[in-house]
Amino acid sequence: MQNTSAIPPLVERHKDDLTGLADRVWGMPETLYSEFRSSAEHAAMLRAKGFRVTEGVAGIPTAVMGEAGSGGPVIAILGEYDALPGLSQVAGIDHPQELEEGGPGHGCGHNLLGSAAMLAACAVKDWLEATGTPGRVRYYGCPAEEGGAAKAFMVRDGAFDDVDAAVTWHPGGMTRVDDPLSLANTRMDFHFSGRAAHAAAQPHLGRSALDAVELMSVGVNYLREHMVQDARIHYAYLDAGGKAPNVVQARASVRYSIRALDLHEMLALVERVKKVAQGAALMTETSVEFQMFAAVSNHFENLAMDRVMQQALDELGGVPFDDLDRAYAAKIRGTLSPSDIAAEWSVVNQPPTEAVLCDWVVPMRPNGKVLIGSTDVGDVTWKVPTTEVLVATAAIGTPLHSWQMTAQGLSGAAHKGMIHAAKAMGRVAEILLSDPDRLAEAKAEHARRLALTPYTCPMPPDHKPPLVPQPDAA
């Protein structure tokens, strides 16, 4: 299909500045709600590119928004820049080697994610100015996707109330329109309180909070037999009550992640897990308090938006990788298991080949194997018509949240993929702003689906984001 879009050359105009931003953010990895330097870099770039900038969106210090244009519909392009703990890694090599012992790293490619989204917004801004088209483009710099649910807080607090449609992307191993599937997810802390005692001389006087946590685990394990098939429940100890086995532990805390494919099924499952915790407290004569950490909704499909994205991908074709890109990808492939590689091919319903990089476009809805995680993009999809594209930036089979993904974050393939993603997202915005019927179709579909299944924010209205204090400048 011939590409008649004005967006690609406009992306090329800004690509050096934005790949530089991606590389800088890779070099300053910051985890959920501590992305102070990364968000400042994004805000500075927005100002340098002529956007009207709002910081502290929805009361979150590391959330930033830049707007350009006037009148007309509002198209949001969503970016992220948070890193993951424990994934520090030297770039450009094919073996694990930490830059900082135990430090964070961009093992999910979010250094690329935010920069490409802003690159797309820059191109759309230039297009709006050159054509005089009514409309606004907004870049949303969204922190804390990795477990912090910032977009869910932003949706709840009105940051997307006047947005007409949203576009986003994610780095990975294949280039395709993302399947409209993600798991609704609640992360909740359970704090048990008991009574300390000498575990040998006076055990009868103690009431073990640690016993309560362990009994809760037993109860949840039995619950797994009686929950919907696509639900998932995981847990991690926050406080095991101490290291002395001769003391009955008076306190213990555990965090549960409770997921389901349907938002309302997830909310119902949360209530059942709470009852298990109450039962564990009753059995041990302890008390329990629940404290939500964060929650996100499942993905809400919009087929009309996904068709626009598929059109953009088909016009662009695959990412134009070169021989140097393939040579490094081949080295990374040597570190991957056959299962890693086969898993990515199974998702797109294709048999594995010797290809190390995806330089083609996967057909829409390939009906492959379903491997589903959670993302706070889900809440945006319930608020406005949204589409997400996955673009190849790494060797096929590279697991997300891995040292291999961090290592490839400064590579030529990563840069080419993020530029390609910007062109696809910018093209979607161009189509929606220049063809009112395509935008109206997406909005009408969203309204129909929402009428059948109304949105319920998974977090209470008074629940605050789990913010962290900004470190001293010194």
Side-chain angles (χ1 to χ4, degrees), residues 136-400:
R136 285 167 285 167
V137 60
R138 287 185 188 161
Y139 168 74
Y140 282 83
C142 307
E145 188 277 334
E146 300 288 0
K151 294 184 196 68
F153 287 106
M154 293 164 73
V155 168
R156 188 195 66 182
D157 294 349
F160 294 90
D161 281 358
D162 61 344
V163 170
D164 291 276
V167 185
T168 191
W169 82 291
H170 202 285
M174 295 282 187
T175 298
R176 63 188 182 93
V177 176
D178 196 11
D179 294 321
L181 296 171
S182 68
L183 295 171
N185 182 12
T186 289
R187 294 190 179 196
M188 181 166 288
D189 299 342
F190 296 84
H191 303 288
F192 290 88
S193 298
R195 184 189 309 150
H198 193 296
Q202 296 173 315
H204 58 289
L205 299 180
R207 299 294 182 267
S208 174
L210 182 58
D211 285 354
V213 168
E214 293 183 318
L215 283 168
M216 180 181 176
S217 295
V218 172
V220 169
N221 283 334
Y222 278 103
L223 177 60
R224 296 179 197 278
E225 185 181 354
H226 303 286
M227 61 190 197
V228 293
Q229 186 174 356
D230 51 54
R232 301 285 186 271
I233 303 180
H234 335 275
Y235 67 96
Y237 281 79
L238 302 178
D239 179 5
K243 298 180 180 179
N246 61 333
V247 176
V248 175
Q249 292 89 344
R251 70 183 189 281
S253 298
V254 63
R255 176 171 295 166
Y256 270 81
S257 179
I258 304 159
R259 310 184 198 229
L261 190 57
D262 177 81
L263 172 61
H264 300 91
E265 289 279 6
M266 185 271 289
L267 294 173
L269 189 56
V270 167
E271 295 306 312
R272 297 180 72 188
V273 173
K274 287 181 181 179
K275 291 177 181 177
V276 171
Q278 291 168 334
L282 182 63
M283 285 188 286
T284 53
E285 293 187 349
T286 60
S287 61
V288 63
E289 294 182 356
F290 319 129
Q291 182 179 359
M292 179 175 285
F293 183 79
V296 300
S297 302
N298 59 297
H299 195 113
F300 198 60
E301 182 179 21
N302 193 284
L303 187 58
M305 286 288 289
D306 288 348
R307 285 174 176 149
V308 176
M309 180 61 80
Q310 188 67 42
Q311 175 185 333
L313 287 181
D314 290 340
E315 291 175 359
L316 285 169
V319 182
F321 297 118
D322 60 28
D323 290 341
L324 288 176
D325 300 329
R326 293 184 180 89
Y328 179 45
K331 293 180 179 180
I332 291 294
R333 181 188 176 100
T335 73
L336 305 175
S337 72
S339 296
D340 291 331
I341 298 167
E344 185 138 40
W345 286 100
S346 72
V347 171
V348 298
N349 200 21
Q350 296 181 24
T353 74
E354 293 303 310
V356 294
L357 285 169
C358 175
D359 57 4
W360 64 92
V361 175
V362 175
M364 187 168 155
R365 302 289 192 270
N367 296 318
K369 186 174 182 180
V370 177
L371 303 173
I372 312 174
S374 301
T375 173
D376 59 5
V377 173
D379 287 272
V380 180
T381 69
W382 285 81
K383 184 67 178 179
V384 298
T386 305
T387 186
E388 180 169 7
V389 64
L390 308 179
V391 177
T393 61
I396 295 172
T398 302
L400 298 181

